[in-house]
Amino acid sequence: MIVRSLNDVEATDHFVEWGNGTSHRLLTDKDGMGFSICHTVVRANTVSLLQYRNHLEACYCIAGEGEVEDMDGNVFPIRKGDIYVLDKHDKHILRGGRDKDLILVSIFNPPLNGTERHKLNDPAGSGY
């Protein structure tokens, strides 16, 4: 059995400042589960162009607000209880809320190693 807290992760290199927020990599590849789970904070008033070229991702909102935009310009508000799924390695724009951080549980398949970092200045979109 694996039991781990946000505080436990903060003391490791699996607590990642990714540029526009933070990610607690709670479950990673080394745990052998075949997927990873992260507690992700997207800071209010931030904009990130992202694309996970090597992972599929599902994000479930547990607090706050924000939005995700696809490359066709469709904007989807994200609030507590909403999920968005990047099932085709979708390039997307992720925005924190105007007044609130967006707080997500993010699941990646295949799993992250836990130390990946975004490069938000990449015009093609940050990804790993």
Side-chain angles (χ1 to χ4, degrees):
M1 179 183 300
I2 300 167
V3 178
R4 200 170 278 144
S5 73
L6 294 179
N7 288 337
D8 294 339
V9 174
E10 286 176 6
T12 74
D13 63 351
H14 288 183
F15 177 60
V16 174
E17 165 61 54
W18 58 267
N20 284 338
T22 59
S23 179
H24 291 77
R25 278 56 187 290
L26 292 162
L27 193 68
T28 63
D29 185 50
K30 72 177 179 140
D31 295 310
M33 295 296 296
F35 58 91
S36 59
I37 298 178
C38 306
H39 176 95
T40 303
V41 175
V42 182
R43 288 192 190 94
N45 301 304
T46 61
V47 179
S48 307
L49 178 61
L50 306 172
Q51 182 177 26
Y52 298 103
R53 295 169 187 94
N54 301 305
H55 306 276
L56 300 176
E57 182 188 28
C59 294
Y60 179 69
C61 180
I62 59 171
E65 60 186 41
E67 60 187 28
V68 63
E69 180 177 351
D70 66 21
M71 292 297 95
D72 292 326
N74 299 303
V75 177
F76 304 93
I78 304 297
R79 307 279 184 273
K80 183 178 177 181
D82 295 339
I83 190 170
Y84 68 92
V85 179
L86 305 166
D87 60 340
K88 295 179 178 68
H89 304 280
D90 313 69
K91 184 184 277 191
H92 60 289
I93 299 168
L94 183 60
R95 296 182 184 95
R98 289 182 188 211
D99 299 315
K100 296 181 181 178
D101 293 344
L102 176 63
I103 303 174
L104 306 166
V105 174
S106 304
I107 297 103
F108 288 89
N109 181 21
L112 301 177
N113 68 35
T115 58
E116 294 88 347
R117 302 287 195 275
H118 280 294
K119 296 176 184 156
L120 295 176
N121 59 353
D122 184 340
S126 180
Y128 34 80

